[in-house]
Amino acid sequence: MNLDLNTEQKLLKNSARSFLKQECPSALVRKVRNSDEAFPETLWKNMADMGWMGLGIDEEYGGIGGSASDVAVLMEAMGEASLPAPFFTTVVVSGTAIQQSSNEEMKAKLLPLLVTGKLVSSFALIEPNNDYGLTHIRTAATADGSDWIISGTKLFVEYAKGARYFLTVANVEGTGLIVAMIDAATDGIKLKSMPTLDYSKQCEVVFNAVKVPAENILALGDDAESMLNHLEDICAVAKCSEMMGAIQSVLDVSVEYVKDRTQFGQPVGGFQAVQHHCANMAVNVDSARYLTGLAAWKLSEGLPATKEASMAKSFVSKAAVRVSKLGHQVHGAISFCDEHDMHLYLRRTQSASMAFGNTEYHLEKVAQKIGL
Amino acid sequence: MNLDLNTEQKLLKNSARSFLKQECPSALVRKVRNSDEAFPETLWKNMADMGWMGLGIDEEYGGIGGSASDVAVLMEAMGEASLPAPFFTTVVVSGTAIQQSSNEEMKAKLLPLLVTGKLVSSFALIEPNNDYGLTHIRTAATADGSDWIISGTKLFVEYAKGARYFLTVANVEGTGLIVAMIDAATDGIKLKSMPTLDYSKQCEVVFNAVKVPAENILALGDDAESMLNHLEDICAVAKCSEMMGAIQSVLDVSVEYVKDRTQFGQPVGGFQAVQHHCANMAVNVDSARYLTGLAAWKLSEGLPATKEASMAKSFVSKAAVRVSKLGHQVHGAISFCDEHDMHLYLRRTQSASMAFGNTEYHLEKVAQKIGL
Amino acid sequence: MDFKFTDKEQAFHDELTDFLIAELPAGWADHPVQWPHDYAHSPYRDPKDMEVHESFIKKIAEKGWLTISWPKEYGGQGFNNMQQAIFDERMSYYRAPAGSSGSVGAGIVGPMLLRIGTKEQQAEFIPRIARGEITFWLGYSEPNAGSDLGAVRTTAIEDGDDLVLNGQKCWSSLAHKADYSWMIVRTDPDARKHQGCSFVIVDNKTPGVEMQPVINILGDHSFNEVFMTDARIPKNNLVGEKNKGFYHLMQALDFERITLVGIGGFKRMFEEIIDYVKTNKRNGKLLSEIPSVRYKLAEIATNIEIGYMLFWRTAEMLDRGEDPNVESSSLKVATTELARDMAEVAMEILGPYGQLTESSEWSPIRALVSRGFLESISATIGAGTSEIMRNIIAQRGLGLPRV
Amino acid sequence: MDFKFTDKEQAFHDELTDFLIAELPAGWADHPVQWPHDYAHSPYRDPKDMEVHESFIKKIAEKGWLTISWPKEYGGQGFNNMQQAIFDERMSYYRAPAGSSGSVGAGIVGPMLLRIGTKEQQAEFIPRIARGEITFWLGYSEPNAGSDLGAVRTTAIEDGDDLVLNGQKCWSSLAHKADYSWMIVRTDPDARKHQGCSFVIVDNKTPGVEMQPVINILGDHSFNEVFMTDARIPKNNLVGEKNKGFYHLMQALDFERITLVGIGGFKRMFEEIIDYVKTNKRNGKLLSEIPSVRYKLAEIATNIEIGYMLFWRTAEMLDRGEDPNVESSSLKVATTELARDMAEVAMEILGPYGQLTESSEWSPIRALVSRGFLESISATIGAGTSEIMRNIIAQRGLGLPRV
């Protein structure tokens, strides 16, 4: 048993942190937020040059391999930096989906582009009738010769404006779900901004009788179901890692601040109430770290991971927001200013806590897995 | 608006507190706990001499009248003293039920006994199939000429062994509920102890074809339903008052202790963590007090009180246990000894929190009342 | 206990309610953009709403209701504090415009001037506050004096008939939109920490007073940094006893904690959430049919009721001539945590929809929840952190030692 | 991160599991009456179970497993701390008898003697601890030294070859059933608070050592007050460096926090609750079908998983030669709060049935929940309150100042 990172992961973590500190300071996060661009192209290119887009992608497609635990390390560093770029939807979600697919054509076509950063992909799942999960998908896919016609509205599609593909889930009446890579350049696609508190440039995406060639289908029926179930674990753990990065920063920044800030003639970190807030943050951060690590490890080992992924998502979603709020509380008014970074963590953790199933959603999954 | 007690209530409170301090010290609570007697007869007699059994009972039956708010004052003092006697089931529950009944015969027969302390009555509601509420009542009442035959098992019947009557809820197939005063001396009644953590001498009561004369029926059908609904509010508020008394004591005793107890060269009450525990206790106690007061006032005014009663029960049930536990925490190990009184409050609040509907039960009632 | 208004109070409650329904434009409550217990003060998305806002304040001022608990001679109605509380509750319930930072003038500065101001000061400021003509900002916090207000360093040194101010204030809410500051300054730099401070009124237009905007978490300009450099104010603007500012401050803080609550806003916001869950489906089910949604909202309803009672209690105490020092602290702890809890519960119920920041067809409740989530972060910090409030409750309320 | 046992660890885990299943009577786990993380120590309702208890301890001692992480020369197996942790987990999961206060000897005194004891002390005590022949009680708390152990006043003054003890210990768990005390005493009464203390081993039979029973919240005699009046012990019984007892104490407390957890007991208790809700109806519905029951139990399951990882972490650190001082504090905070939460959740789920204190046909889960509810009150207090644990995490873990 080793509850630390292994040597390669430590290296990866350090290099990711120093890269992002340099290339993705919080000033950039604010700049992107205030601009119309979907994400900073230069940063994206530099990330690709670091080889990150190949993490978790098989070597035969130009990737560098690596496990879910390695991806977790990177996601954590990105959470720490509030990365304003579509790594998660492109590499983690779409990369995993394409690799899992039996559609060799898509793999050969898209993965080499993806690993070099030339392909940005977004994930179009949620619909006006639902808030998460695979039920109530009304976006319809109907066969049209060997093609498919897809119509429906998708919400909360992150970084849709910069995407070249939409990894899309639709429903084939009577058959079940279908997972398609829809080329963003196809006729009949309309985007509308849905600004959210985490600055992640989410969009409403309307597919109006969009023609999708058969070769763009990643999975259908049972395959689609099992792909999406696996993605659910992957997404949950990745979001936990992202939150981990954010709250580790919250803790570090807070501890530093309360050591320094003086009130009533002593560092505020000397007050027992502040100390206990910080201790609670630390216990939450540690607990979140090990739970996330356990789930990522199970995924890495190819073991059934749903219980652990859902335990992590249910716990970290709550813990991360709790820690973020405590971070604000020990900072006081200064953390309520835009110029301070504390709220960036709060925003990121809050949105991540709701993404891909909130606490109750995942508690219900845990309940099922423990035999209830 | 007056969020304090009125003058009469202050007098009642003071006299009740000093009476109980004298007549019902915690040593008596322990003595009764360790003995086979259902409750201390002398104490009961002295309480009757104080006129308490007539509180809330109409003057025409020898009572002294008084509102739900007045009863709340007394219940609070009894909670403070962990009173080991059936005032609640006799005066509050049975007294209210008999008065509300249109059975003038029962009123004339039982109320004069009740107000003089000569009648002890217990409340037999819960059954093996349920945990609270009026659903799933399987104790069956069948007509037998002008009499009724009642069969079934009741659980958690407080002070059953000392009771002369059981206020009992049964089901008449096809007709609905029936509320009866069953004479404890009737053939076919068996009692078995169900020891609980609050020392309240609860019993399982088995009615085996018990013959109940028609004149013992307090209500039937819609009348029974409306009587029981009213009783539910009454019981909820009385239990809140009882818990209030307990947690006010917890707060008072704790504050006194932490001022006195020295560790690390200062009173432990000087430590911010302890201060904040105490502050949290105080805010909870105040909140519980006003919510309970509001519900009791609504009952006193004859206004619809279900929303307020359920708000109070849902909140106070949680707050009281929270406060009791904080009381233990600021006391440390000493409160974990039998000889210390702190656990008496914990026991009383925990059992009361579960009695007559727990937090979720009452939150659901609140939800209905706020239009959900 | 008795939870009924007196006939007079009830009559005022009803008159005010009728007035608000009659005078506010239909559907007005959907215009202000605010979460209960906010310190962020950016009330409207549509700038045109400011016209309604200003004309409504005039109407309220005409009724003499801006300052109803003040003596009639000072432009008030001579009503009691309970009626003042009823006014605050009704106004906040209807989200009626209360004047840009008007509450600081009418809620804090006015009552303080009536208690400790000179006749001249009362004559100068009170009628104008009552008519809604002038507004104030609170000059308390400084970079090194946040929770520890005893550490204020801004000095006000006598020089002839003037006081010369030097120093810096921060987190000065809406200072840039106000006319005057109600400021605590150090008048005896040699005195010990909690001695040597005094209250002064500072005209924003005083030469040497400069402001820098600070953008808050919501992207709004509500805070300012205010720099005083040899800013001269008349000695007459010193309010209360010189060097006894700290004693006055305690009372001023009580008023602040009570004034800021806006208790009716909780009820109104809650009603909007209730409406939403009763009319919106998710995953094939009305949100209101989900048991955990029902429990959570019932719990919020209960806590709102508690907030109301803690609020009425402070008014009741003021009417009895008591200082609700500890009670206003309990009120603040309870209602600010409620502001956060309600945002968090709403977020949980709305799922990803809760995070939307701009009104669109997909935003529940005019995208107020994401705003409330961020806004309420300040609730447990501003005007005394929850930690300071708990210290007060423990030390002043329960008599635990100051160590 | 890697959450796999090594092959050797896994083999031990499996061997031990097989042993426990084979050697414990069928259905044994239903006999002990205890809630996870209890300090109350009254394991059985049926006195006959004590026979099984004692014979089982002998079997464990024969396997050399009472002290598996000790060097072989001292009767141990020379296993690592992770194997020790596996042993603790399996034993507590199967509710296997661990010896009356045996854990104090094997879990705290033994490891301390191996680190700081003399060869003679090791020779005298270690083999007997390893064979389960002698048991210890912890002589830390005194009437004025609870959280503040620096305030111990019991003195041990040199007199010839003896130390003469005078003073009083309290909350002495199971002292009346043990043979020796592992006691902290003041050897230099003139030194400053945290100096001048030392550890001694005190034979219960020493003349001048008197005990008074204290009945705990559960009605059991587990605590004692212990009075030392001119009690003479050999100087050789002083363990570690004289007057440096406080440095040793920190390490002893770490062992205590880890030893006491009984992490497997959480899993076992939880499984019983799960079984119960799956097979019992209330109001026409299986308890397990109620959404809030499902959520609450899923949350407990998650927190048990966290407890397990915090537990393994301390073992991993010990194996790396690190002091898990902060980590054992996190472990204690997390697991003791879990012990309380699990009792509270079980109480909520069981409703009035949860309060039953004696096994009857109406008592769910052998009436353990009411016991757990009371028992777990002590969890966040004993062996260092949660407040002290949080101080340690903040000050030693995060480097916040001691003020």
Side-chain angles (χ1 to χ4, degrees), chain B residues 220-244:
Chain B
L220 224 152
D222 289 349
D223 284 354
E225 197 87 30
S226 98
M227 174 183 288
L228 291 166
N229 283 333
H230 180 60
L231 273 188
E232 188 157 303
D233 294 343
I234 294 276
C235 290
V237 175
K239 283 286 153 187
C240 287
S241 302
E242 194 183 358
M243 288 189 268
M244 264 310 305

mmCIF file of all heavy atoms in Angstrom, chain B residues 220-244:
data_model
loop_
_atom_site.group_PDB
_atom_site.id
_atom_site.type_symbol
_atom_site.label_atom_id
_atom_site.label_comp_id
_atom_site.label_asym_id
_atom_site.label_seq_id
_atom_site.Cartn_x
_atom_site.Cartn_y
_atom_site.Cartn_z
ATOM 1 N N LEU B 220 -64.911 8.204 17.185
ATOM 2 C CA LEU B 220 -65.021 7.191 16.151
ATOM 3 C C LEU B 220 -64.988 7.867 14.789
ATOM 4 O O LEU B 220 -65.511 8.984 14.634
ATOM 5 C CB LEU B 220 -66.374 6.506 16.335
ATOM 6 C CG LEU B 220 -66.463 4.994 16.253
ATOM 7 C CD1 LEU B 220 -67.624 4.500 17.086
ATOM 8 C CD2 LEU B 220 -66.582 4.533 14.817
ATOM 9 N N GLY B 221 -64.392 7.214 13.821
ATOM 10 C CA GLY B 221 -64.445 7.724 12.447
ATOM 11 C C GLY B 221 -63.821 9.106 12.329
ATOM 12 O O GLY B 221 -62.706 9.337 12.818
ATOM 13 N N ASP B 222 -64.546 10.031 11.700
ATOM 14 C CA ASP B 222 -64.014 11.374 11.482
ATOM 15 C C ASP B 222 -63.652 12.071 12.784
ATOM 16 O O ASP B 222 -62.650 12.781 12.868
ATOM 17 C CB ASP B 222 -65.035 12.238 10.724
ATOM 18 C CG ASP B 222 -65.166 11.789 9.281
ATOM 19 O OD1 ASP B 222 -64.326 10.968 8.843
ATOM 20 O OD2 ASP B 222 -66.095 12.255 8.600
ATOM 21 N N ASP B 223 -64.480 11.879 13.795
ATOM 22 C CA ASP B 223 -64.175 12.470 15.099
ATOM 23 C C ASP B 223 -62.830 11.967 15.631
ATOM 24 O O ASP B 223 -62.044 12.728 16.183
ATOM 25 C CB ASP B 223 -65.249 12.094 16.128
ATOM 26 C CG ASP B 223 -66.516 12.910 15.920
ATOM 27 O OD1 ASP B 223 -66.492 13.823 15.065
ATOM 28 O OD2 ASP B 223 -67.515 12.620 16.607
ATOM 29 N N ALA B 224 -62.619 10.676 15.469
ATOM 30 C CA ALA B 224 -61.370 10.075 15.953
ATOM 31 C C ALA B 224 -60.193 10.666 15.186
ATOM 32 O O ALA B 224 -59.177 11.064 15.766
ATOM 33 C CB ALA B 224 -61.414 8.557 15.780
ATOM 34 N N GLU B 225 -60.370 10.741 13.899
ATOM 35 C CA GLU B 225 -59.325 11.296 13.031
ATOM 36 C C GLU B 225 -58.971 12.711 13.480
ATOM 37 O O GLU B 225 -57.806 13.076 13.635
ATOM 38 C CB GLU B 225 -59.851 11.301 11.591
ATOM 39 C CG GLU B 225 -58.802 11.455 10.515
ATOM 40 C CD GLU B 225 -58.215 10.086 10.125
ATOM 41 O OE1 GLU B 225 -58.919 9.055 10.220
ATOM 42 O OE2 GLU B 225 -57.043 10.086 9.738
ATOM 43 N N SER B 226 -60.009 13.514 13.709
ATOM 44 C CA SER B 226 -59.715 14.914 14.024
ATOM 45 C C SER B 226 -59.172 15.036 15.447
ATOM 46 O O SER B 226 -58.300 15.851 15.730
ATOM 47 C CB SER B 226 -60.953 15.790 13.794
ATOM 48 O OG SER B 226 -61.641 16.019 14.986
ATOM 49 N N MET B 227 -59.644 14.173 16.349
ATOM 50 C CA MET B 227 -59.075 14.178 17.701
ATOM 51 C C MET B 227 -57.601 13.811 17.660
ATOM 52 O O MET B 227 -56.755 14.452 18.286
ATOM 53 C CB MET B 227 -59.825 13.174 18.591
ATOM 54 C CG MET B 227 -59.211 13.011 19.966
ATOM 55 S SD MET B 227 -60.072 11.751 20.948
ATOM 56 C CE MET B 227 -61.600 12.620 21.319
ATOM 57 N N LEU B 228 -57.265 12.795 16.882
ATOM 58 C CA LEU B 228 -55.877 12.327 16.838
ATOM 59 C C LEU B 228 -54.964 13.328 16.140
ATOM 60 O O LEU B 228 -53.812 13.495 16.515
ATOM 61 C CB LEU B 228 -55.821 10.953 16.170
ATOM 62 C CG LEU B 228 -56.456 9.836 17.016
ATOM 63 C CD1 LEU B 228 -56.684 8.581 16.182
ATOM 64 C CD2 LEU B 228 -55.596 9.519 18.243
ATOM 65 N N ASN B 229 -55.518 13.994 15.141
ATOM 66 C CA ASN B 229 -54.713 15.034 14.496
ATOM 67 C C ASN B 229 -54.412 16.174 15.459
ATOM 68 O O ASN B 229 -53.303 16.702 15.487
ATOM 69 C CB ASN B 229 -55.417 15.562 13.243
ATOM 70 C CG ASN B 229 -55.283 14.594 12.089
ATOM 71 O OD1 ASN B 229 -54.316 13.832 12.019
ATOM 72 N ND2 ASN B 229 -56.267 14.590 11.192
ATOM 73 N N HIS B 230 -55.415 16.538 16.234
ATOM 74 C CA HIS B 230 -55.188 17.583 17.227
ATOM 75 C C HIS B 230 -54.190 17.103 18.280
ATOM 76 O O HIS B 230 -53.270 17.835 18.662
ATOM 77 C CB HIS B 230 -56.529 17.964 17.881
ATOM 78 C CG HIS B 230 -56.396 19.029 18.914
ATOM 79 N ND1 HIS B 230 -55.904 20.287 18.639
ATOM 80 C CD2 HIS B 230 -56.687 19.024 20.241
ATOM 81 C CE1 HIS B 230 -55.896 21.006 19.754
ATOM 82 N NE2 HIS B 230 -56.360 20.271 20.740
ATOM 83 N N LEU B 231 -54.360 15.871 18.714
ATOM 84 C CA LEU B 231 -53.427 15.308 19.703
ATOM 85 C C LEU B 231 -51.999 15.297 19.181
ATOM 86 O O LEU B 231 -51.045 15.485 19.925
ATOM 87 C CB LEU B 231 -53.826 13.875 20.055
ATOM 88 C CG LEU B 231 -54.835 13.670 21.169
ATOM 89 C CD1 LEU B 231 -54.934 12.185 21.500
ATOM 90 C CD2 LEU B 231 -54.454 14.464 22.425
ATOM 91 N N GLU B 232 -51.867 15.065 17.897
ATOM 92 C CA GLU B 232 -50.525 15.027 17.320
ATOM 93 C C GLU B 232 -49.828 16.375 17.509
ATOM 94 O O GLU B 232 -48.643 16.423 17.870
ATOM 95 C CB GLU B 232 -50.624 14.668 15.827
ATOM 96 C CG GLU B 232 -49.279 14.415 15.205
ATOM 97 C CD GLU B 232 -49.378 13.551 13.955
ATOM 98 O OE1 GLU B 232 -49.909 12.434 14.053
ATOM 99 O OE2 GLU B 232 -48.923 13.992 12.892
ATOM 100 N N ASP B 233 -50.558 17.461 17.276
ATOM 101 C CA ASP B 233 -49.980 18.790 17.510
ATOM 102 C C ASP B 233 -49.675 18.991 18.994
ATOM 103 O O ASP B 233 -48.608 19.475 19.366
ATOM 104 C CB ASP B 233 -50.952 19.894 17.050
ATOM 105 C CG ASP B 233 -51.163 19.873 15.547
ATOM 106 O OD1 ASP B 233 -50.345 19.247 14.839
ATOM 107 O OD2 ASP B 233 -52.132 20.497 15.078
ATOM 108 N N ILE B 234 -50.628 18.619 19.817
ATOM 109 C CA ILE B 234 -50.465 18.786 21.266
ATOM 110 C C ILE B 234 -49.243 18.018 21.774
ATOM 111 O O ILE B 234 -48.429 18.536 22.535
ATOM 112 C CB ILE B 234 -51.741 18.257 21.989
ATOM 113 C CG1 ILE B 234 -52.955 19.119 21.653
ATOM 114 C CG2 ILE B 234 -51.522 18.119 23.485
ATOM 115 C CD1 ILE B 234 -53.094 20.355 22.492
ATOM 116 N N CYS B 235 -49.140 16.779 21.333
ATOM 117 C CA CYS B 235 -48.019 15.941 21.780
ATOM 118 C C CYS B 235 -46.690 16.495 21.285
ATOM 119 O O CYS B 235 -45.702 16.526 22.014
ATOM 120 C CB CYS B 235 -48.179 14.505 21.279
ATOM 121 S SG CYS B 235 -49.515 13.627 22.088
ATOM 122 N N ALA B 236 -46.672 16.923 20.034
ATOM 123 C CA ALA B 236 -45.431 17.453 19.461
ATOM 124 C C ALA B 236 -44.956 18.647 20.283
ATOM 125 O O ALA B 236 -43.783 18.750 20.652
ATOM 126 C CB ALA B 236 -45.647 17.849 18.001
ATOM 127 N N VAL B 237 -45.883 19.552 20.584
ATOM 128 C CA VAL B 237 -45.493 20.764 21.300
ATOM 129 C C VAL B 237 -45.083 20.437 22.741
ATOM 130 O O VAL B 237 -44.106 20.975 23.262
ATOM 131 C CB VAL B 237 -46.639 21.801 21.266
ATOM 132 C CG1 VAL B 237 -46.287 23.015 22.110
ATOM 133 C CG2 VAL B 237 -46.910 22.215 19.824
ATOM 134 N N ALA B 238 -45.810 19.524 23.368
ATOM 135 C CA ALA B 238 -45.452 19.160 24.743
ATOM 136 C C ALA B 238 -44.060 18.534 24.791
ATOM 137 O O ALA B 238 -43.264 18.828 25.688
ATOM 138 C CB ALA B 238 -46.493 18.189 25.314
ATOM 139 N N LYS B 239 -43.772 17.682 23.830
ATOM 140 C CA LYS B 239 -42.442 17.068 23.793
ATOM 141 C C LYS B 239 -41.370 18.126 23.545
ATOM 142 O O LYS B 239 -40.266 18.054 24.075
ATOM 143 C CB LYS B 239 -42.389 15.979 22.715
ATOM 144 C CG LYS B 239 -43.073 14.690 23.141
ATOM 145 C CD LYS B 239 -42.220 13.937 24.165
ATOM 146 C CE LYS B 239 -43.070 13.058 25.074
ATOM 147 N NZ LYS B 239 -42.298 12.442 26.168
ATOM 148 N N CYS B 240 -41.683 19.116 22.721
ATOM 149 C CA CYS B 240 -40.734 20.213 22.501
ATOM 150 C C CYS B 240 -40.476 20.964 23.805
ATOM 151 O O CYS B 240 -39.344 21.315 24.120
ATOM 152 C CB CYS B 240 -41.262 21.188 21.446
ATOM 153 S SG CYS B 240 -41.196 20.525 19.779
ATOM 154 N N SER B 241 -41.542 21.207 24.559
ATOM 155 C CA SER B 241 -41.375 21.928 25.823
ATOM 156 C C SER B 241 -40.498 21.123 26.772
ATOM 157 O O SER B 241 -39.626 21.665 27.451
ATOM 158 C CB SER B 241 -42.732 22.169 26.477
ATOM 159 O OG SER B 241 -43.566 22.895 25.611
ATOM 160 N N GLU B 242 -40.740 19.845 26.801
ATOM 161 C CA GLU B 242 -39.948 18.967 27.659
ATOM 162 C C GLU B 242 -38.467 19.040 27.266
ATOM 163 O O GLU B 242 -37.587 19.191 28.117
ATOM 164 C CB GLU B 242 -40.477 17.543 27.503
ATOM 165 C CG GLU B 242 -39.991 16.587 28.546
ATOM 166 C CD GLU B 242 -40.504 15.173 28.292
ATOM 167 O OE1 GLU B 242 -41.267 14.954 27.325
ATOM 168 O OE2 GLU B 242 -40.129 14.281 29.067
ATOM 169 N N MET B 243 -38.210 18.966 25.972
ATOM 170 C CA MET B 243 -36.822 19.038 25.505
ATOM 171 C C MET B 243 -36.208 20.399 25.821
ATOM 172 O O MET B 243 -35.039 20.501 26.188
ATOM 173 C CB MET B 243 -36.758 18.760 23.995
ATOM 174 C CG MET B 243 -37.021 17.303 23.643
ATOM 175 S SD MET B 243 -36.688 16.934 21.893
ATOM 176 C CE MET B 243 -38.284 17.199 21.158
ATOM 177 N N MET B 244 -37.028 21.451 25.668
ATOM 178 C CA MET B 244 -36.583 22.809 26.005
ATOM 179 C C MET B 244 -36.054 22.882 27.422
ATOM 180 O O MET B 244 -35.000 23.466 27.681
ATOM 181 C CB MET B 244 -37.768 23.785 25.929
ATOM 182 C CG MET B 244 -37.925 24.524 24.670
ATOM 183 S SD MET B 244 -36.416 25.309 24.155
ATOM 184 C CE MET B 244 -36.016 26.285 25.603
#
